[in-house]
Amino acid sequence: MFLARIYITLKPAVNDPQGLTVQNGLHSLGYASVADVRIGKYLELRVAGDDAGQAEADVARMCDQLLANPVIEEFRFSLEAVAE
Amino acid sequence: MFLARIYITLKPAVNDPQGLTVQNGLHSLGYASVADVRIGKYLELRVAGDDAGQAEADVARMCDQLLANPVIEEFRFSLEAVAE
């Protein structure tokens, strides 16, 4: 069994209004040194099986098909073998 | 200047209906081997300054005050020194 940690972020050229709002909130709280806030998604999921190559291919396809929006987002992930 | 990568996840005891919905979607797509889908947030932001200890303390306070909901979420983060 593998634990997949998936990071989905907006492509650099895409505006991030949610990040801007959070940045303004942080400035309002006094954190004037903060810039370039970008907000993405972080997913953890478990994939049954013993074949790391198969699990890696599966997770990449899951991201392409459902988890990430390929028009505006990009993704990366890591796999860690874990006990059942 | 530091690049902070912040991972905000639901506490293990908290239900994740969004994760369950995604898991059902993955099962519908044929990924029957997927289990325990948990969805969190991933933030990147830049903190000006040269003092790593100060930046670390600032980011921890930002998470406590605004970015994470301490009732149901937990957070962790990493700092990387980057060029201005």
Side-chain angles (χ1 to χ4, degrees):
Chain A
M1 178 166 283
F2 297 92
L3 172 63
R5 297 185 174 90
I6 304 169
Y7 310 87
I8 300 171
T9 50
L10 288 170
K11 290 182 180 175
V14 176
N15 277 332
D16 184 356
Q18 190 186 6
L20 270 180
T21 303
V22 167
Q23 183 171 314
N24 291 340
L26 290 170
H27 288 177
S28 298
L29 287 172
Y31 301 105
S33 62
V34 172
D36 295 340
V37 180
R38 306 281 290 177
I39 299 187
K41 282 176 280 186
Y42 171 66
L43 288 87
E44 288 182 354
L45 53 83
R46 286 169 194 272
V47 185
D50 296 323
D51 183 342
Q54 181 65 47
E56 187 169 340
D58 279 351
V59 172
R61 276 195 299 141
M62 288 177 214
C63 290
D64 276 330
Q65 288 185 20
L66 184 71
L67 304 178
N69 176 350
V71 178
I72 58 169
E73 293 174 328
E74 53 197 12
F75 65 86
R76 60 191 166 84
F77 63 88
S78 66
L79 283 181
E80 179 191 346
V82 293
E84 298 282 328
Chain B
M1 177 166 283
F2 296 93
L3 172 62
R5 296 184 175 90
I6 304 169
Y7 311 87
I8 300 171
T9 50
L10 287 171
K11 292 182 179 175
V14 176
N15 277 330
D16 184 355
Q18 190 186 7
L20 269 181
T21 303
V22 167
Q23 182 172 313
N24 291 339
L26 289 171
H27 287 177
S28 299
L29 286 172
Y31 301 105
S33 60
V34 171
D36 295 339
V37 180
R38 306 282 290 177
I39 299 186
K41 282 177 281 187
Y42 171 67
L43 287 89
E44 288 182 355
L45 53 84
R46 285 168 195 274
V47 185
D50 297 322
D51 183 341
Q54 182 65 48
E56 186 169 340
D58 280 352
V59 173
R61 275 195 299 138
M62 289 177 213
C63 289
D64 275 330
Q65 287 185 22
L66 184 70
L67 304 179
N69 175 351
V71 178
I72 58 168
E73 293 173 328
E74 53 197 13
F75 65 86
R76 60 192 167 82
F77 63 88
S78 65
L79 284 181
E80 178 190 347
V82 293
E84 298 283 326

